[in-house]
């Protein structure tokens, strides 16, 4: 196993775990798992994050072919330092319970908007609902699709996605993908089976502080790597 593969794997795994624990998608998975079958929630969240990780790594892998490798390394270094400072800022300014409450409020609002509190015992109405369901729900569970979409759009443009792009541009992309997927699987499994009780015990401030320090370390490594090359 090559050193670059191990480095890409270990960096991606550590970055993913510290970025995703206490993140919005982590809390969303925990809350959804309390309200719906866990297997559908876990499958939807994991599928979404695997797709996101592969897409992000593909963009990072293509970056050196579109712009010079030196410029790519400079951009990656700036990203790591920027995300490190961003995470440290969050650690000192965020309330530990704020994000969990925000995610729960958003999901409650979504349930009310879709009439989640009403039930119908009329078989004709049920048959009509089945016929009028969106196309994808004919093949996938609505809970799977809900977990997939909430997670996908929650991660889109998030610092963990951009950091994955930066890592894939600087490290072995296969190692980055494998490390990212394993890290996502660990976090989402903990969220789904740990539920809200686990989510409330996690210190978002500590996780953000740890993630900020890790990003700064990655930035320093990237900086010296650029100088040596």
């Amino acid at each position: 196993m090559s050193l670059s593969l191990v480095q890409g794997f270990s960096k991606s795994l550590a970055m993913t775990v510290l970025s995703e624990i206490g993140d919005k998608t982590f809390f969303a998975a925990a809350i959804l798992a309390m309200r719906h079958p866990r297997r559908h929630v876990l499958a939807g969240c994991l599928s979404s994050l695997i797709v996101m990780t592969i897409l992000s790594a593909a963009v990072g892998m293509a970056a050196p072919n579109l712009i010079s490798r030196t410029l790519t390394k400079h951009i990656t270094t700036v990203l790591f330092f920027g995300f490190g400072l961003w995470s440290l800022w969050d650690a000192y300014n965020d309330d530990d319970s704020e994000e969990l409450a925000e995610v729960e409020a958003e999901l409650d609002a979504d349930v009310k908007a879709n009439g989640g509190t009403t039930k119908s015992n009329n078989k004709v109405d049920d048959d009509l609902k089945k016929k009028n369901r969106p196309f994808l729900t004919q093949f996938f569970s609505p809970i799977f699709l809900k977990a997939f979409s909430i997670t996908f759009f929650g991660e889109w443009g998030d610092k963990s996605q951009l950091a994955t792009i930066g890592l894939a541009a600087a490290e072995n992309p296969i190692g980055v993908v494998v490390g990212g997927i394993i890290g996502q699987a660990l976090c989402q499994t903990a969220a789904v089976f740990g539920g809200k009780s686990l989510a409330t015990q996690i210190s978002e401030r500590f996780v953000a502080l740890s993630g900020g320090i890790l990003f700064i370390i990655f930035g320093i490594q990237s900086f010296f790597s650029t100088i040596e090359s």
Side-chain angles (χ1 to χ4, degrees):
M1 187 179 293
S2 67
L3 180 61
S4 64
L5 185 67
V6 173
Q7 286 181 337
F9 171 82
S10 57
K11 285 185 177 182
S12 181
L13 178 62
M15 182 273 296
T16 301
V17 170
L18 288 176
S19 296
E20 293 304 318
I21 289 182
D23 191 40
K24 272 190 174 183
T25 52
F26 181 90
F27 291 136
I31 295 169
L32 285 172
M34 293 171 57
R35 303 175 178 180
H36 306 289
R38 289 175 176 174
R39 65 183 185 278
H40 295 313
V41 174
L42 183 60
C45 292
L46 272 182
S47 300
S48 174
L49 291 168
I50 288 171
V51 170
M52 181 69 73
T53 301
I54 293 173
L55 286 176
S56 301
V59 172
M61 188 170 57
N65 298 319
L66 301 175
I67 56 179
S68 70
R69 183 164 290 276
T70 302
L71 181 57
T72 301
K73 288 184 176 180
H74 285 312
I75 294 172
T76 301
T77 301
V78 172
L79 279 176
F80 285 147
F81 278 120
F83 292 147
L85 295 173
W86 181 2
S87 296
L88 292 176
W89 175 264
D90 286 344
Y92 285 104
N93 290 277
D94 279 2
D95 181 8
D96 270 358
S97 61
E98 183 180 343
E99 194 153 24
L100 175 59
E102 182 183 336
V103 172
E104 194 164 17
E106 288 176 1
L107 290 175
D108 286 340
D110 182 61
V111 169
K112 289 179 182 178
N114 288 291
T117 57
T118 61
K119 294 182 180 179
S120 173
N121 294 320
N122 191 310
K123 190 176 183 303
V124 176
D125 289 345
D126 289 341
D127 291 340
L128 283 173
K129 285 179 181 179
K130 288 179 182 178
K131 289 179 182 179
N132 294 327
R133 285 191 306 178
F135 176 73
L136 285 176
T137 59
Q138 306 290 333
F139 305 97
F140 299 100
S141 160
I143 304 306
F144 172 90
L145 293 174
K146 182 176 184 178
F148 185 99
S149 60
I150 287 174
T151 304
F152 189 87
F153 292 110
E155 283 295 305
W156 189 262
D158 189 65
K159 62 175 176 281
S160 59
Q161 184 205 13
L162 299 176
T164 301
I165 294 173
L167 270 180
E171 304 290 344
N172 186 301
I174 296 176
V176 172
V177 168
V178 175
I181 289 174
I182 292 177
Q184 300 284 11
L186 291 173
C187 292
Q188 294 301 308
T189 301
V192 167
F193 289 97
K196 190 177 177 181
S197 59
L198 174 63
T200 54
Q201 292 174 16
I202 292 172
S203 171
E204 294 175 50
R205 184 165 293 160
F206 175 77
V207 172
L209 180 62
S210 302
I213 293 171
L214 185 69
F215 278 126
I216 295 293
I217 292 172
F218 286 173
I220 293 171
Q221 289 179 336
S222 181
F223 175 73
F224 284 111
S225 167
T226 304
I227 293 176
E228 289 173 2
S229 61

